[in-house]
């Protein structure tokens, strides 16, 4: 139980911290990458402005100057004079470069970019992005004939910078998350340690108190039985009122002692389960024989309430179940006792055994008062009793909790559902490997 709570708290604290860290990291990366791109764009625009001024002021454009621009700015340049490629373009031998620039020119002609920056009354530039290139077209009007320069700057550098930044932050976040989860596990352990120590002390107290109380209860029960045995020799019809009242009081003492003894046994079972010392002795067991023998013990009680108790077994031979026979019988006893207790007269209680997909299934169904959907989620909690059971003195709200713990110790499961074959009632299903 302590480990489950620790795991859940670790998942909660670590999960929330992880979520916050990831959101903050993504937010920072988005802002940082956006600023990197914007800064790069502003840097490009500043360079383009200087190039445009030089282009506007130069009467002769040399190939050396264009080559120098390509080298310094690490870009591709294409020059058109009134739509005609210049000698700088025609002398290029790189076909891939030529094809790229032609594609960019085509895109520019077909999609006139709206962004425009004026350098002078006869010189301006337009910017746009094609694929992984940031492109600028500088236009200088010379005697009504445009001189156009295309500058294509690859964005691979900024892409690599962004990739490296993402990789670095991924590594940092990865190790940060490992540290966070380790810290969460250690912190929750230290946080729950006083609670666990208190729970252990409480379990020890319950176990010790239960053991100590069983001895005086046994003495009280023995004395009550002895006194009732002695009074039984008296003729009740001739006895006075004091003898009749004494017999009633002794019966009350005996019944309450039995109830207290059952409660102490249940509390000892749960205390052993909490301490991890629930005695489970698994042996090969014939579940069909075990189910029949357990149901036979309830035939008298069923007859008293005029309830039909039946057992359904499979026709085929069942394999042996590796389990604790006494504990499984205890589960069946709890379920049958509840079913008969909450089933009215002329009702029906059925115990069925089946074997599917290497799992045994024991179903105890009844036509009783039923359980609401809200209560189905709480009936396996300790000391929980449904509204219909609060008037029953023989039920402490521990039986189903004990059944749940025993099934869990066997690696199985127990569930409850409405009885689909009847208008009322429930079906408890125990699954055992």
């Amino acid at each position: 139980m302590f480990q489950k709570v620790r795991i859940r708290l670790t998942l909660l604290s670590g999960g929330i911290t992880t979520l916050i860290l990831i959101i903050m990291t993504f937010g920072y990366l988005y802002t940082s990458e956006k600023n990197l791109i914007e800064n790069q764009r502003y840097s490009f625009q500043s360079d383009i402005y200087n190039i445009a001024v030089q282009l506007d002021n130069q009467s002769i454009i040399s190939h050396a100057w264009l080559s120098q621009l390509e080298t310094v700015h690490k870009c591709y340049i294409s020059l058109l004079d009134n739509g005609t490629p210049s000698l700088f373009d025609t002398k290029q031998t790189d076909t891939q470069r030529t094809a790229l620039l032609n594609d960019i020119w085509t895109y520019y002609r077909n999609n006139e970019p709206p962004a425009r920056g004026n350098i002078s009354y006869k010189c301006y530039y337009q910017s746009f992005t094609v694929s992984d290139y940031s492109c600028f077209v500088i236009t200088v009007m010379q005697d009504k004939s445009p001189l156009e320069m295309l500058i294509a700057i690859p964005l691979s550098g900024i892409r690599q910078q962004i990739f490296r930044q993402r990789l670095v932050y991924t590594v940092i976040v990865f190790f940060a998350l490992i540290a966070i989860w380790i810290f969460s596990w250690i912190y929750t352990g230290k946080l729950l340690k006083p609670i666990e120590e208190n729970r252990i002390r409480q379990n020890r107290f319950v176990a010790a108190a239960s053991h100590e109380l069983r001895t005086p209860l046994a003495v009280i029960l023995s004395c009550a039985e002895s006194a009732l045995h002695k009074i039984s020799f008296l003729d009740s019809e001739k006895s006075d009122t004091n003898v009749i009242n004494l017999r009633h009081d002794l019966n009350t003492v005996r019944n309450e002692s039995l109830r207290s003894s059952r409660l102490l046994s249940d509390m000892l079972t749960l205390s052993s389960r909490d301490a991890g010392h629930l005695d489970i002795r698994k042996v090969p067991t014939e579940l069909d024989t075990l189910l029949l023998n357990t149901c036979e013990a309830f035939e008298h009680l069923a007859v008293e309430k005029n309830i039909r108790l039946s057992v359904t077994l499979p026709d085929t031979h069942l394999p042996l179940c590796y389990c604790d026979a006494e504990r499984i019988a205890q589960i069946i006893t709890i379920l049958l006792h509840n079913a008969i207790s909450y089933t009215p007269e002329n009702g029906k209680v059925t115990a069925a055994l089946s074997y599917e997909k290497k799992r045994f299934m024991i179903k105890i169904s009844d036509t009783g008062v039923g359980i609401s959907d809200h209560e189905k989620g709480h009936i396996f909690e300790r000391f929980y009793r449904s509204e219909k059971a609060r008037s029953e003195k023989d039920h402490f709200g521990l039986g189903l909790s004990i059944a749940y713990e025993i099934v869990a110790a066997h690696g199985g499961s127990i569930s409850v559902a409405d009885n689909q074959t009847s208008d009322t009632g429930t079906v408890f299903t125990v699954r055992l490997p």
Side-chain angles (χ1 to χ4, degrees):
M1 181 179 179
F2 172 76
Q3 285 297 106
K4 289 182 179 179
V5 175
R6 185 179 183 183
I7 291 173
R8 290 178 180 177
L9 283 178
T10 301
L11 291 175
L12 179 62
S13 60
I16 293 175
T17 308
T18 299
L19 181 62
I20 294 174
L21 181 61
I22 290 176
I23 292 176
M24 292 180 63
T25 301
F26 274 110
Y28 174 79
L29 286 176
Y30 173 78
T31 305
S32 176
E33 292 173 6
K34 185 177 180 181
N35 290 334
L36 281 174
I37 295 174
E38 290 295 329
N39 292 336
Q40 189 73 13
R41 182 174 299 171
Y42 292 147
S43 177
F44 289 163
Q45 289 180 350
S46 177
D47 293 339
I48 294 303
Y49 181 85
N50 294 329
I51 294 173
V53 171
Q54 296 179 32
L55 182 65
D56 188 22
N57 295 330
Q58 289 186 19
S59 57
I60 299 176
I61 302 174
S62 64
H63 290 189
W65 180 65
L66 296 176
S67 300
Q68 183 182 7
L69 288 178
E70 283 191 335
T71 304
V72 171
H73 297 284
K74 298 179 181 180
C75 61
Y76 298 128
I77 293 179
S78 175
L79 195 63
L80 299 182
D81 188 1
N82 199 19
T84 303
S86 64
L87 291 176
F88 182 76
D89 289 289
T90 56
K91 287 184 178 181
Q92 297 293 334
T93 58
D94 189 350
T95 56
Q96 185 176 1
R97 175 184 185 277
T98 303
L100 172 65
L101 293 173
N102 289 335
D103 291 340
I104 295 176
W105 277 119
T106 302
Y107 177 87
Y108 173 73
R109 302 299 184 193
N110 296 333
N111 303 275
E112 191 71 21
R116 175 169 173 168
N118 293 321
I119 307 299
S120 65
Y121 72 95
K122 63 175 183 177
C123 179
Y124 62 90
Y125 70 90
Q126 293 172 288
S127 62
F128 55 96
T129 302
V130 178
S131 185
D132 287 334
Y133 290 87
S134 182
C135 304
F136 298 87
V137 174
I138 303 173
T139 304
V140 179
M141 299 302 298
Q142 297 178 343
D143 299 330
K144 299 183 180 180
S145 60
L147 176 64
E148 297 173 308
M149 176 188 286
L150 169 62
I151 302 175
I153 305 174
L155 297 175
S156 56
I158 192 67
R159 303 293 185 197
Q160 291 177 359
Q161 186 177 355
I162 290 174
F163 174 76
R164 287 194 298 268
Q165 180 176 269
R166 290 179 179 179
L167 182 61
V168 169
Y169 272 86
T170 300
V171 174
I172 293 174
V173 169
F174 175 75
F175 285 105
L177 290 179
I178 292 178
I180 287 172
W181 283 100
I182 293 176
F183 172 78
S184 298
W185 177 256
I186 296 174
Y187 177 74
T188 52
K190 291 184 177 295
L191 182 67
L192 293 175
K193 186 176 180 180
I195 301 176
E196 175 64 7
E197 292 176 351
N198 183 62
R199 188 183 66 85
I200 292 174
R201 288 194 295 267
Q202 182 180 2
N203 288 339
R204 288 175 181 172
F205 169 76
V206 171
S210 299
H211 279 294
E212 293 297 327
L213 288 173
R214 294 181 78 173
T215 301
L217 277 176
V219 174
I220 294 172
L221 183 60
S222 176
C223 293
E225 293 284 356
S226 177
L228 284 171
H229 180 69
K230 294 176 182 179
I231 294 177
S232 64
F233 289 102
L234 300 175
D235 188 356
S236 60
E237 293 182 358
K238 297 180 180 179
S239 300
D240 57 16
T241 305
N242 292 331
V243 174
I244 296 175
N245 291 335
L246 179 61
R247 182 184 293 109
H248 177 269
D249 293 340
L250 289 173
N251 278 320
T252 302
V253 170
R254 182 187 63 179
N255 293 335
E256 293 301 320
S257 298
L258 289 173
R259 289 183 66 250
S260 299
S261 180
R262 288 196 301 271
L263 176 59
L264 290 177
S265 297
D266 292 345
M267 292 178 66
L268 279 173
T269 300
L270 292 175
S271 178
S272 299
R273 174 59 177 170
D274 290 340
H277 302 142
L278 184 61
D279 190 14
I280 299 293
R281 300 176 182 178
K282 295 183 179 181
V283 294
T285 306
E286 294 180 351
L287 281 185
D288 49 358
T289 303
L290 178 66
L291 183 62
L292 283 172
N293 293 337
T294 308
C295 289
E296 285 180 0
F298 283 89
E299 285 184 352
H300 179 70
L301 181 60
V303 170
E304 285 183 351
K305 293 192 64 175
N306 197 21
I307 294 174
R308 185 158 62 94
L309 176 61
S310 60
V311 180
T312 303
L313 299 176
D315 297 330
T316 58
H317 177 71
L318 294 177
L320 296 176
C321 178
Y322 192 64
C323 64
D324 189 326
E326 292 184 3
R327 293 295 187 182
I328 300 303
Q330 184 180 2
I331 295 173
I332 298 173
T333 299
I334 292 171
L335 297 180
L336 284 176
H337 187 263
N338 286 345
I340 294 175
S341 298
Y342 299 128
T343 299
E345 292 187 0
N346 301 319
K348 180 181 179 182
V349 175
T350 303
L353 175 65
S354 61
Y355 181 75
E356 299 177 4
K357 298 179 180 180
K358 297 184 179 181
R359 296 183 75 86
F360 295 92
M361 286 198 301
I362 302 174
K363 292 186 177 182
I364 307 297
S365 58
D366 60 66
T367 57
V369 295
I371 303 174
S372 66
D373 293 337
H374 170 71
E375 292 176 336
K376 286 187 180 72
H378 300 280
I379 58 173
F380 295 109
E381 297 176 2
R382 298 180 186 183
F383 296 103
Y384 179 84
R385 291 191 298 171
S386 65
E387 294 296 332
K388 303 181 182 72
R390 296 189 185 278
S391 59
E392 294 286 339
K393 295 180 63 177
D394 290 337
H395 295 272
F396 305 104
L398 292 177
L400 291 177
S401 300
I402 294 174
Y404 178 86
E405 298 294 349
I406 295 175
V407 172
H410 281 79
S413 63
I414 183 172
S415 60
V416 60
D418 294 330
N419 192 346
Q420 300 297 328
T421 61
S422 175
D423 295 336
T424 59
T426 56
V427 178
F428 282 87
T429 303
V430 176
R431 295 176 177 84
L432 296 172

